[in-house]
Amino acid sequence: MINGLAFRHPLVFWFGCALLVGGVFAHAPMFMMGQHTHWQMVGMPMTTEMWLGMAAIPVGLALSAFGMLPRLPGAGVAPAAQLHFHVADGVPLNRAHATLVLVLVVALAVDVMKPATLGFVMPGMGAEYAIGKSTSSLLALFALTGTTVGSVVWGRIADRAGRRAAILLSALMFMGTAICGAMPTFEWNLAMCFLMGASAGGLLPITFTLMAETVPAAHRGWLLVALGGVGTSAGYLLAAGAAAWLEPMFSWRVLWLLGLPTGAVIIVLNRWIPESPRFLSNAGLHTAAREVLRRFAGPGQGAVEVDDAAHPGAPVMEESHPVTGLRALLHGRHAPITTGLLVCGVAWGLANFGFLLWLPTNLVELGVEAGAASALLARSALLALPGIAVVIWLYHRWSSVRALVLFIAFTTLSLLAFAAMGFAGVRDQAWVVVATAALLVSVSGVIAMLIPYAAEIYPVRLRGTGSGVVAASSKAGGILGAGLGVVGFFDHFAWSALLIAAPMALSGWMLLRHGIETRGRRLEEIETALSAPR
């Protein structure tokens, strides 16, 4: 039992997986018919095999969940009987940590790949279904709504059933929604795209949660930020590469069908995905937690347990907050920090999925030629890549909360610069270049730190939920941005920049005042500090 928890019924789990995969393959004959029509499937009647396959997928998912989800005794072990478990916070990074990081990078890349694929899918889909841009944009709206819902739901599942179980179930659901690539109508694509977003949306917060609870405190911060930066870049690279290589041969539909093999990679790698030892201990499974801890402590570290009676000053993992569920995120010392993170997430979504989405059009209004505007954005995006290295260094060497606030301030100032140029009628391309590069670098820095910080500040029983809700807020901002774009909000260039800067500045002020330093501190120390009255 090297991963902390064995499957409850392994044969049932793998049978469910096989049934789910069979349900997806039942759509293959319908898809292959498209080779005679240049992969155009619009208007084709759905075959009996497709309907049977669609029925087999949820049954297979249910069987896999039943076969995998463990029986947990529950938290609440008496303090006198509880052993204090830790993840060898003082040990250097070892092979087990490196393996975990690589596997989680794969999971995060899969998560990022699907939203990134939307931009490559929409032109071909719009042409096949003969729909306009406004109708095609519904696909992005449904996908963002799905990721918002998925981030919250899978976060709760991670806190109740375990981080590893949530990752695997999310990957299985992701595999099942690959049938989106064989749907003959736009309406079915919308439904499947929502479910696809809901399945992929959970991987992001759960990977950060598992990483935060497993790596040593001295390396936790920079690894979390690096995980976000590398995983995001890899996801966009996979989406772009698949579109360039496979779409010309099999049309846009193949980009959805890739959900089956990419999700299957996570299932194959499941033996290298451990359950969080802190989750195991909080659930009362101390023996299982001890086994996982020995794996990550490295050779020569000896026992990885400490009797609390012998160390009365050591923080324990017992949680005594009477408030449970989502309400606990807005209770006590966590309330102002959660509020600040949620406001920041919504403001970031408005900036990234709203203001930046309309920026090429607005740059033309500022005097930049259309072709030059695209080149300008490309150069500015390249500047954002080394900016992530600066983010990692500041988060690790300077301060976690102050680094986040600093980049929130940069984002606010960049938006205010655009507002000033709009109101003043500035058309100087040099100023536009500086403001655009600053905005892209700053928003990349904010999202690189936002969810890692959330994964550090919540207690074990709420860490998945808290990370999921904060991740959902950024997607909710995107949904709001899409809606505001429809009513013409971003046509008012200067006012839109100014109004987005306001909540961004508010979130920075709240986090500067109420945020807590997490750099180099053990998760139990952070929890103790947040549970103490101010």
Side-chain angles (χ1 to χ4, degrees):
M1 191 171 59
I2 61 174
N3 291 319
L5 285 176
F7 291 158
R8 180 190 296 183
H9 301 292
L11 291 179
V12 176
F13 170 79
W14 291 113
F15 176 74
C17 290
L19 189 61
L20 186 149
V21 172
V24 175
F25 272 104
H27 292 70
M30 178 80 168
F31 176 74
M32 294 307 296
M33 290 179 190
Q35 63 183 315
H36 304 295
T37 58
H38 304 288
W39 309 106
Q40 302 288 300
M41 300 175 60
V42 59
M44 287 187 178
M46 295 181 66
T47 64
T48 302
E49 291 82 358
M50 290 182 69
W51 288 110
L52 292 175
M54 291 178 69
I57 289 171
V59 174
L61 183 62
L63 288 174
S64 295
F66 175 76
M68 177 178 58
L69 293 179
R71 295 186 180 91
L72 300 176
V77 180
Q82 182 176 337
L83 292 175
H84 172 57
F85 296 98
H86 61 88
V87 195
D89 281 309
V91 303
L93 294 175
N94 55 41
R95 183 175 180 179
H97 296 119
T99 301
L100 175 64
V101 170
L102 289 175
V103 172
L104 293 185
V105 164
V106 172
L108 190 57
V110 170
D111 175 83
V112 172
M113 181 182 177
K114 279 305 142 182
T117 299
L118 282 170
F120 300 103
V121 163
M122 288 171 64
M125 177 182 289
E128 179 171 346
Y129 292 124
I131 53 179
K133 290 183 178 179
S134 58
T135 305
S136 296
S137 64
L138 289 174
L139 193 72
L141 184 61
F142 272 65
L144 282 173
T145 303
T147 57
T148 303
V149 174
S151 294
V152 177
V153 171
W154 289 108
R156 290 297 295 154
I157 292 175
D159 283 338
R160 297 179 69 88
R163 288 55 166 130
R164 179 174 181 245
I167 289 175
L168 296 182
L169 283 177
S170 178
L172 284 171
M173 183 175 172
F174 187 72
M175 292 166 58
T177 56
I179 62 174
C180 185
M183 293 295 106
T185 66
F186 180 64
E187 291 74 19
W188 271 111
N189 265 278
L190 290 180
M192 290 299 162
C193 200
F194 172 83
L195 293 174
M196 186 180 293
S199 60
L203 287 174
L204 179 65
I206 304 171
T207 52
F208 282 114
T209 297
L210 180 57
M211 175 80 84
E213 294 178 344
T214 311
V215 300
H219 301 281
R220 185 182 63 240
W222 76 266
L223 274 175
L224 286 174
V225 178
L227 172 68
V230 175
T232 299
S233 299
Y236 278 102
L237 181 61
L238 287 172
W245 181 38
L246 296 175
E247 189 173 3
M249 294 186 288
F250 302 104
S251 83
W252 59 271
R253 294 182 176 277
V254 72
L255 301 181
W256 287 152
L257 294 173
L258 288 177
L260 178 63
T262 52
V265 168
I266 299 177
I267 302 300
V268 172
L269 295 176
N270 86 87
R271 63 167 299 177
W272 291 284
I273 302 176
E275 184 52 83
S276 161
R278 284 179 165 96
F279 172 82
L280 292 170
S281 179
N282 190 66
L285 299 171
H286 302 309
T287 300
R290 192 179 295 115
E291 291 298 321
V292 176
L293 287 169
R294 287 199 179 100
R295 173 184 172 188
F296 283 94
Q301 296 300 322
V304 289
E305 58 181 86
V306 179
D307 190 341
D308 288 324
H311 298 268
V316 298
M317 301 185 72
E318 180 70 16
E319 299 177 18
S320 57
H321 287 298
V323 181
T324 60
L326 294 173
R327 291 185 304 138
L329 301 177
L330 296 172
H331 179 76
R333 284 285 306 279
H334 287 109
I337 304 178
T338 299
T339 303
L341 293 175
L342 293 179
V343 172
C344 180
V346 172
W348 181 89
L350 284 170
N352 189 70
F353 295 108
F355 189 82
L356 283 175
L357 189 67
W358 289 89
L359 188 56
T361 301
N362 289 322
L363 286 178
V364 174
E365 295 181 5
L366 286 176
V368 181
E369 295 181 0
S374 298
L376 169 61
L377 288 171
R379 290 196 302 270
S380 300
L382 287 176
L383 291 174
L385 294 178
I388 295 298
V390 176
V391 171
I392 294 173
W393 187 88
L394 289 172
Y395 199 91
H396 178 58
R397 291 293 185 181
W398 179 44
S399 166
S400 57
V401 66
R402 284 182 288 177
L404 176 56
V405 170
L406 178 64
F407 274 78
I408 290 174
F410 283 160
T411 304
T412 303
L413 292 175
S414 301
L415 290 167
L416 291 177
F418 276 111
M421 287 189 292
F423 286 127
V426 174
R427 297 295 185 269
D428 190 308
Q429 287 199 22
W431 285 105
V432 174
V433 169
V434 172
T436 303
L439 181 60
L440 286 173
V441 171
S442 58
V443 296
S444 298
V446 168
I447 198 61
M449 290 183 279
L450 187 65
I451 303 175
Y453 184 74
E456 293 185 294
I457 64 168
Y458 294 109
V460 177
R461 63 185 175 84
L462 288 175
R463 186 163 289 121
T465 302
S467 301
V469 169
V470 172
S473 69
S474 64
K475 308 300 192 305
I479 296 172
L480 180 60
L484 290 175
V486 171
V487 300
F489 174 75
F490 295 101
D491 293 341
H492 306 284
F493 179 63
W495 281 110
S496 63
L498 183 62
L499 293 177
I500 296 173
M504 187 67 75
L506 175 62
S507 70
W509 176 80
M510 295 184 69
L511 292 173
L512 183 63
R513 181 173 181 181
H514 300 287
I516 185 171
E517 183 59 56
T518 63
R519 184 181 69 88
R521 302 178 71 179
R522 297 181 59 235
L523 295 177
E524 290 77 19
E525 294 175 10
I526 298 170
E527 181 181 342
T528 300
L530 284 170
S531 63
R534 298 192 68 171

